[in-house]
Amino acid sequence: LSSFDVEHLVGEAIKQTDKSAAEKKIKFGQNIIPRPVIGNFDSLVQLLTIIIDNAIKYSPKNKTVFIDGEYNNNQYHLSIRDQGSGITEEDMPYIFDRLYRGDKSRTSIAGGYGLGLALGKEIARANNAKISVRNYPGGGAQFVVSLSSPKN
C-alpha cells in the first residue's frame, strides 16, 4: 500500500468513465479537499470507477454525479451521489452480494451481471477501506468510500 493524493485518484476514475458520462450528457460536480490517502492506487481507481459507472448508469440523461470528499479522524470519506431513483429498501441489504441485481426495472435499463459492487466491496476490504450506501434525501443513491489518510 502506498500514499497518493485523493484528487489524482478521483481524476483517474473519472477518466475511466468519461465516455459513458458523455453518452448520457452527465456532468461531474466535485468538491474534493486535497489530501493524501493510503491504498493500492490501481485497485482503488477500479473501485471508484465501479461506483461512478453505476452512478452514471442509474442517472437520467443531463444530470450530475456529485463527488465530494472530507477528512475526519484519519479517514478520508469520498461520497459519490447520483440523481437516479435510489435503491429500494428491499434491495439495500443485498447490493454488495455477488450476482445480486435488484429491481428488475432498473437492471433492464443498466445491464450488467451483478458483480461490480461485490468486487468493489472486496477491493475496499483489501485496501483497509469501507464502503457504504444510503438513499440521498433529495433522491438518488449515495455511496461513501472511507479511506485511510495519514496524520499531518
Side-chain angles (χ1 to χ4, degrees), residues 31-71:
N31 183 16
I32 304 295
I33 298 163
R35 179 100 193 148
V37 293
I38 299 169
N40 176 283
F41 183 80
D42 292 335
S43 69
L44 288 174
V45 167
Q46 186 178 13
L47 168 59
L48 294 184
T49 300
I50 290 166
I51 297 169
I52 293 169
D53 189 56
N54 277 352
I56 292 166
K57 283 180 186 175
Y58 292 112
S59 287
K61 287 183 177 180
N62 300 305
K63 293 291 183 179
T64 302
V65 170
F66 298 95
I67 305 172
D68 299 302
E70 73 176 14
Y71 175 75

Side-chain angles (χ1 to χ4, degrees), residues 9-146:
L9 175 67
V10 171
E12 283 299 312
I14 286 175
K15 256 196 255 181
Q16 300 290 322
T17 58
D18 268 349
K19 187 175 181 230
S20 56
E23 287 170 3
K24 287 186 75 176
K25 296 182 171 76
I26 300 286
K27 295 180 184 75
F28 293 105
Q30 294 182 63
N31 183 16
I32 304 295
I33 298 163
R35 179 100 193 148
V37 293
I38 299 169
N40 176 283
F41 183 80
D42 292 335
S43 69
L44 288 174
V45 167
Q46 186 178 13
L47 168 59
L48 294 184
T49 300
I50 290 166
I51 297 169
I52 293 169
D53 189 56
N54 277 352
I56 292 166
K57 283 180 186 175
Y58 292 112
S59 287
K61 287 183 177 180
N62 300 305
K63 293 291 183 179
T64 302
V65 170
F66 298 95
I67 305 172
D68 299 302
E70 73 176 14
Y71 175 75
N72 188 334
N73 282 343
N74 299 329
Q75 294 278 301
Y76 194 95
H77 306 283
L78 264 176
S79 162
I80 296 110
R81 178 170 57 92
D82 65 43
Q83 293 185 300
S85 59
I87 300 165
T88 67
E89 292 304 316
E90 298 83 42
D91 291 333
M92 193 70 75
Y94 307 106
I95 65 164
F96 293 107
D97 293 353
R98 257 177 98 85
L99 304 177
Y100 187 78
R101 292 195 57 224
D103 180 0
K104 302 306 174 233
S105 65
R106 283 173 43 112
T107 56
S108 65
I109 295 165
Y113 297 99
L115 296 171
L117 291 175
L119 175 61
K121 185 176 181 180
E122 291 305 312
I123 292 170
R125 186 174 310 153
N127 282 278
N128 298 318
K130 290 185 174 61
I131 183 171
S132 62
V133 63
R134 71 180 183 118
N135 283 318
Y136 195 75
Q142 179 183 32
F143 285 81
V144 176
V145 177
S146 299

